[in-house]
Amino acid sequence: MIEHRNFIGGEWLAAAATRPIVNPATDEVIATVAESSAADVAVAVRAARDAFDSGPWRTTTAQARGRVLFHMAAVVREHADRLAEIETRTCGKPIVESDMDVQDAATCLEYYGGLATKIHGETLPVPDNAINLTLKEPVGVVGLIVPWNYPLLLAMWKLGPALSAGCTVVLKPAEQTPLSMLEFARLVHEHVPELPPGVFNVVTGDGPVAGRALVESMEVDKIAFTGGTETGREVLHGVARSNLKKVSLELGGKSPNIFFTDCDLDAATDGALFGVFINQGEVCSAGSRVLVQREIAAEFMTRMREKTARIRLGDPLDRATKMGPLVSREHADRVLAAIERGRQEARLVAGGGRPAAQARGCFVEPTIFESDNSAWIAREEIFGPVVTVIPFTDEADAIRIANDTPYGLAAAVWSRDIFRCLRVVKAVRAGIVWVNSMQPCYVESPWGGYKQSGHGREMSLHGQEEFLETKQVHINLGEAPLAWY
Ligand code: NDP
C-alpha cells in the first residue's frame, strides 16, 4: 500500500494528517494520501505564487510552453494503462471507460499545447491618431478543484488551458479519487523536467478544509471549479469573502433527452440508456430525464427495460463489464435513499436496489422510474444510475418540460425531422444540445451550462479564454495629448 504526499514546488511534502483511499469495487483500503490543512494549502499557494511572480513559466515563449504540454501528453499516452487502472480502482468506472478517459486527457493536453502559440490580442480601430490593441496575459495563480467522476480528465480540462496561458496552478482532486492525479504528478516530475518547480502543485484533502482554503486564499487569482451546484454556491461565497478572484463553475444538471414518435426506436433506446447509464450515471450531463412522446412511450419503455436487464454489472477491471460500483459507500447509500424517496411519487419500472449478485462493493442497479416532471426524482440531480421517463404530448409540451428545471447543462433531441430538431435546439436553454446522439464530448467544442449549471465554458478556445486577462494598450501617435486645462 502506497502512502502519498502532496506535490508542492517540485517536492513531495507530508501534510498534517493522512486519509485512506478505498476501492469501491472491493471495499478495500488501497492507499493513503495527505489530508491537507489550510496551512498545507498555503504552502502550495506560495510555491505557485513564487513560480508565477518570479519563475520563468509566464515569460517563457509560447512555443516552449506548448512543447511542455505535448511532452506531458506523450507521457500520459506512454503510461496510459497504469493511469487507467488507477482510475478504475479508485472511482469504480469500467476499465474500458478509463482507457478512453486517459486518451482524452492526453488529447486535451495536446490541444492546449497547440493553442499556446495561437493566443493573441487584437487591434481596434479607435477614432484617433493612435494604435489601440489588446494583450492577452495569464490570469495568475489558479486553484483547480475537481470532482470524482472523471478525476484525471476533468483535471486536464483545467490544467491544459491554465498551463498553456502561462498560469501556475494548485490542483485539489476530490477526496475519494486523488490517485490518478498523484500518479500524473509523479510522471510529470520524473519525465518532464522542463516544467519548472512550483508551476504545477497538487494538494489532497477535504473540500470544506483544503478546497475552501484555496477558494479563500488572498494569493490565488482564479478558481476553476467542477462539482455540485450547492458546492458551487459555497465557492462563490468564499470568493466574495476573500479577494473577488475570478471564478468559473461547471456544476450539476438534470438534462432532458427528448424522443419524438419518428425517431429510430432501436437507436433511440440505446441512446437513452447510454445517455444516462454511462459511468454509472455519475455524469454531470447525464440524460436523467427521458422525455418520450406519448404515442411511443409504452413501446419505448418495454425496450428500455429489456436492454437494461442485459447491462453487465461487475468487476470494473473486467473488460466485459458495462457498469461498475458507485464511487463510495456513502454515495451508493445516498443514491439508494433517493430511489426509496422516488418510489413514493413515481412508478418504479426497473432496478431499485443493490444487485443481488454483488456481495461486496458499492453497486446499485440501473433504475428506471416513470412519472411526470413534478416528481422529486425527476427534478433532483441523483448522480447515479437512475433515470425518469416522462411522457409528453407534442413539441411545445416537450420544450416546456425540458426547460422546467433550474439546470441548463445539456439536452438531446431525437427525430428524423431536422426542422423540428432545430426548433428544439433553439428553444432549449442549455449549454450543449445533441441531435440524434447523446454525450459526445470534444476538446474542440465548448462545454458548460446555462442557468444554475455554471459560469463560463471549458475546452475549446472558450476554455482557454477563462485563464486569460485582456489588457488594453493605447499608443498615441499624435502630437501632444488634448490640452484640457
Ligand atoms: P462536490 O461539489 O461535492 O465536490 C467537488 C469538489 O469540490 C471536490 O474536490 C470537493 O472536495 C470540493 N469541495 C467540496 N466542498 C468544498 C468547499 N466548501 N470549498 C471548496 N471546495 C469544496 O461534487 P462531487 O465531487 O460530488 O461531484 C459531483 C458533482 O459534480 C455533480 O453535481 C456533477 O453534476 C458535477 N459535475 C459537473 C460537471 C460539469 O462539467 N458541469 C462535470 C462533472 C461533475 P471533496 O471531494 O473533498 O469533498
Side-chain angles (χ1 to χ4, degrees), residues 38-211:
D40 296 317
V41 173
V43 175
V45 170
R46 173 66 9 224
R49 187 79 258 168
D50 288 346
F52 186 77
D53 292 341
S54 26
W57 187 246
R58 170 166 61 130
T59 49
T60 192
T61 65
Q63 279 189 355
R65 278 201 301 276
R67 278 195 296 271
V68 171
L69 283 157
F70 287 133
H71 193 182
M72 287 166 126
V75 170
V76 167
R77 292 205 194 279
E78 203 178 315
H79 297 85
D81 289 348
R82 180 167 168 71
L83 286 164
E85 190 182 323
I86 291 172
E87 201 76 311
T88 286
R89 283 192 195 280
T90 49
C91 61
K93 67 175 70 198
I95 188 75
V96 286
E97 292 187 31
S98 293
D99 285 344
M100 292 189 284
D101 290 1
V102 173
Q103 295 304 325
D104 288 349
T107 302
C108 183
L109 292 173
E110 287 157 356
Y111 177 85
Y112 284 107
L115 215 52
T117 51
K118 283 94 192 164
I119 295 169
H120 57 76
E122 56 205 338
T123 54
L124 295 314
V126 295
D128 248 326
N129 185 13
I131 293 175
N132 188 285
L133 52 89
T134 58
L135 297 178
K136 291 290 186 183
E137 297 182 341
V139 136
V141 175
V142 294
L144 313 181
I145 302 180
V146 288
W148 43 258
N149 58 340
Y150 289 86
L152 187 71
L153 181 57
L154 295 188
M156 295 307 133
W157 286 15
K158 295 170 171 38
L159 186 66
L163 293 185
S164 138
C167 296
T168 62
V169 314
V170 178
L171 191 148
K172 194 205 86 65
E175 62 186 84
Q176 305 90 339
T177 57
L179 298 188
S180 56
M181 187 41 53
L182 290 166
E183 177 64 8
F184 173 81
R186 188 187 71 76
L187 291 169
V188 166
H189 183 49
E190 285 180 15
H191 299 282
V192 191
E194 65 275 28
L195 186 73
V199 171
F200 166 55
N201 307 277
V202 182
V203 288
T204 56
D206 193 30
V209 178

Side-chain angles (χ1 to χ4, degrees), residues 207-291:
V209 178
R212 184 174 168 168
L214 210 45
V215 166
E216 297 191 358
S217 169
M218 299 298 280
E219 297 198 277
V220 171
D221 299 301
K222 177 197 160 74
I223 292 288
F225 171 86
T226 299
T229 293
E230 284 315 309
T231 320
R233 230 180 274 284
E234 277 299 304
V235 168
L236 287 180
H237 281 302
V239 163
R241 274 194 298 269
S242 56
N243 60 348
L244 288 180
K245 55 181 69 65
K246 300 193 180 324
V247 59
S248 49
L249 303 173
E250 297 293 344
L251 307 176
K254 193 74 185 178
S255 299
N257 198 358
I258 308 168
F259 298 89
F260 286 96
T261 48
D262 62 347
C263 66
D264 171 341
L265 260 190
D266 206 37
T269 44
D270 280 345
L273 295 175
F274 181 82
V276 69
F277 290 150
I278 183 85
N279 203 46
Q280 299 76 240
E282 297 166 323
V283 181
C284 52
S285 56
S288 50
R289 292 186 298 148
V290 165
L291 278 49

